[in-house]
Amino acid sequence: MTGMHQEQFMFSSKNYNCYYNADFSSLERLVSKDKAVIITDKNIASYYSHKFISWSTIIIEPGEKYKQQATADYIINELINLQADRETIIIAIGGGVVTDIAGYVASVYMRGIKFALVPTTILAMVDAAVGGKNSINIGIYKNLVGTIRHPEFLFYDYSFLKSLPQAEWINGFAEIIKHACIKDKMLFEWLESQSLQSLQSSIDITDELVRRNVEIKYNIVANDVFEKGERRLLNFGHTLGHAIENMYKLSHGNAVSIGMVAACSISEEVNNFPAAEKIRVTQLLKKYHLAVDLKYDKEKIWEVLLLDKKKSGNKMNFVLLNSIGDGIVQPIPLIHLQELFNVCL
């Protein structure tokens, strides 16, 4: 591969560039160190402190449980101490927790300052950093408070993946398989022919995989930034997934994987989704070492689901599959959905 390459994404409210196969040392060509504040977590800071020399840096605790308002308040106070103003640009370097919370803070600090994202996990590279959603959790309720605001650019330095634990590679593949299920049958079939190890084997393959998934998500989001229509497809597996993720302290990938299997079961019941294709989805998730089932308290999960953002009145906008590569958003009455949960799950 021949160095950094870029692609522009055009949204109704903003255009921005993705810089693929970039080197962190070239970041200062895009932003002035004097105007930038890096937000990262302790894990990234401990591995890569040498990269951040002479950059103003705010370090937060790692993990989903810190994606809360208290952490946002801490960041805001640190920005005040650094005398950050409306000319400041936040550079978020980390996984989905860091990119989400940094984008959220940038959206509200001084009513909005610029920010850019340097995702360091597969999950963040293919999903969390793309699409303009920035949010925090409220207790066990995932992403209940947040904004939709796009970064100035995305910067993909694959050297950060060298320290990524195997569990986090697995975590990211849930979203990759999700994209294949809802929009790209050819990607699904390609994943069936590969393995986690083969897709980790070279920067070229990693880059191809990341770019394909960014493009899938961009093509869905571009015309539906505020999630009124097709963008809802990206919630495939997330209705149940979000409900069980924090309650049972699961990784996002495993929770969404379990949610996708559940959504396939409901698709089979409601939408005549072929049983053989449900088996293929389940087998692919297992192939990439993701969880496909969990014993959970249905009554408690149902209570959490009733506060899901996808609920509208007495219905839930639920993502089903017609077939692999063909997702559909279907409103399901809550009474019917509860029956389906009890029967299918």
Side-chain angles (χ1 to χ4, degrees), residues 83 152 192 235 241 297 331:
Q83 299 183 337
E152 298 301 301
E192 285 182 313
N235 291 318
D297 187 320

Side-chain angles (χ1 to χ4, degrees), residues 12 15 17 26 32 40 67 96 98 105 170 180 205 213 216-217 232 269-270 279 288 293 298-299 310 326:
S12 58
N15 298 342
N17 286 323
S26 63
S32 168
T40 192
K67 201 174 93 170
V98 171
V105 168
I170 294 168
I205 294 174
N213 279 272
I216 290 170
K217 186 163 184 181
R232 292 171 177 169
E269 187 75 18
V270 172
I279 292 170
Y288 286 87
D293 54 44
K298 290 185 179 181
E299 289 187 9
K310 296 176 284 296
D326 182 15

Side-chain angles (χ1 to χ4, degrees), residues 225-263:
V225 173
F226 294 99
E227 202 170 311
K228 301 297 183 184
E230 191 179 39
R231 183 169 186 163
R232 292 171 177 169
L233 287 174
L234 294 168
N235 291 318
F236 179 60
H238 285 60
T239 305
L240 177 62
H242 276 171
I244 64 176
E245 181 176 348
N246 282 355
M247 183 173 288
Y248 290 93
K249 295 182 170 57
L250 296 175
S251 71
H252 179 75
N254 280 319
V256 168
S257 178
I258 292 165
M260 284 191 279
V261 174

Side-chain angles (χ1 to χ4, degrees), residues 31-293:
V31 296
S32 168
K33 284 186 177 181
D34 293 339
K35 296 292 185 182
V37 175
I38 286 173
I39 297 175
T40 192
D41 68 31
K42 284 185 176 179
N43 288 340
I44 296 294
S46 66
Y47 280 113
Y48 301 106
S49 58
H50 60 282
K51 291 181 181 285
F52 307 147
I53 294 171
S54 76
W55 292 85
S56 295
T57 306
I58 298 171
I59 300 172
I60 63 174
E61 296 290 338
E64 187 75 24
K65 70 178 182 178
Y66 293 103
K67 201 174 93 170
Q68 303 278 358
Q69 185 63 46
T71 307
D73 291 343
Y74 169 76
I75 294 170
I76 289 167
N77 280 312
E78 290 297 295
L79 289 170
I80 293 168
N81 291 337
L82 291 168
Q83 299 183 337
D85 58 26
R86 289 181 176 175
E87 299 302 313
T88 299
I89 179 168
I90 286 175
I91 311 293
I93 303 177
V97 170
V98 171
T99 58
D100 264 21
I101 200 165
Y104 170 72
V105 168
S107 299
V108 298
Y109 183 74
M110 292 192 170
R111 297 195 182 99
I113 62 174
K114 294 178 180 179
F115 68 103
L117 304 179
V118 184
T120 62
T121 67
I122 288 292
L123 179 60
M125 288 180 180
V126 302
D127 183 61
V130 185
K133 285 186 176 181
N134 316 283
S135 58
I136 57 171
N137 303 331
I138 304 297
I140 63 172
Y141 300 105
K142 284 274 294 178
N143 302 325
L144 195 62
V145 174
T147 66
I148 294 179
R149 193 161 180 265
H150 292 293
E152 298 301 301
F153 59 85
L154 270 65
F155 190 89
Y156 288 90
D157 179 349
Y158 301 126
S159 70
F160 283 108
L161 295 175
K162 292 177 182 177
S163 62
L164 190 67
Q166 189 74 350
E168 288 305 317
W169 277 91
I170 294 168
N171 199 29
F173 268 83
E175 295 292 348
I176 291 170
I177 293 169
K178 178 197 76 176
H179 288 154
C181 285
I182 61 172
K183 272 293 179 181
D184 196 330
K185 184 178 180 180
M186 289 181 65
L187 175 60
F188 189 96
E189 292 170 347
W190 185 63
L191 290 169
E192 285 182 313
S193 72
Q194 301 294 320
S195 67
L196 184 60
Q197 290 70 29
S198 68
L199 295 175
Q200 292 172 304
S201 62
S202 78
I203 291 297
D204 285 3
I205 294 174
T206 300
D207 184 69
E208 180 183 351
L209 187 68
V210 168
R211 289 173 63 190
R212 179 65 192 129
N213 279 272
V214 169
E215 288 166 3
I216 290 170
K217 186 163 184 181
Y218 163 71
N219 287 330
I220 292 173
V221 170
N223 296 314
D224 186 23
V225 173
F226 294 99
E227 202 170 311
K228 301 297 183 184
E230 191 179 39
R231 183 169 186 163
R232 292 171 177 169
L233 287 174
L234 294 168
N235 291 318
F236 179 60
H238 285 60
T239 305
L240 177 62
H242 276 171
I244 64 176
E245 181 176 348
N246 282 355
M247 183 173 288
Y248 290 93
K249 295 182 170 57
L250 296 175
S251 71
H252 179 75
N254 280 319
V256 168
S257 178
I258 292 165
M260 284 191 279
V261 174
C264 285
S265 295
I266 293 173
S267 298
E268 188 179 6
E269 187 75 18
V270 172
N271 216 34
N272 297 318
F273 181 61
E277 294 208 347
K278 175 191 168 184
I279 292 170
R280 284 179 69 191
V281 173
T282 304
Q283 288 177 336
L284 187 62
L285 293 166
K286 287 181 178 180
K287 182 174 187 177
Y288 286 87
H289 312 293
L290 287 154
V292 294
D293 54 44

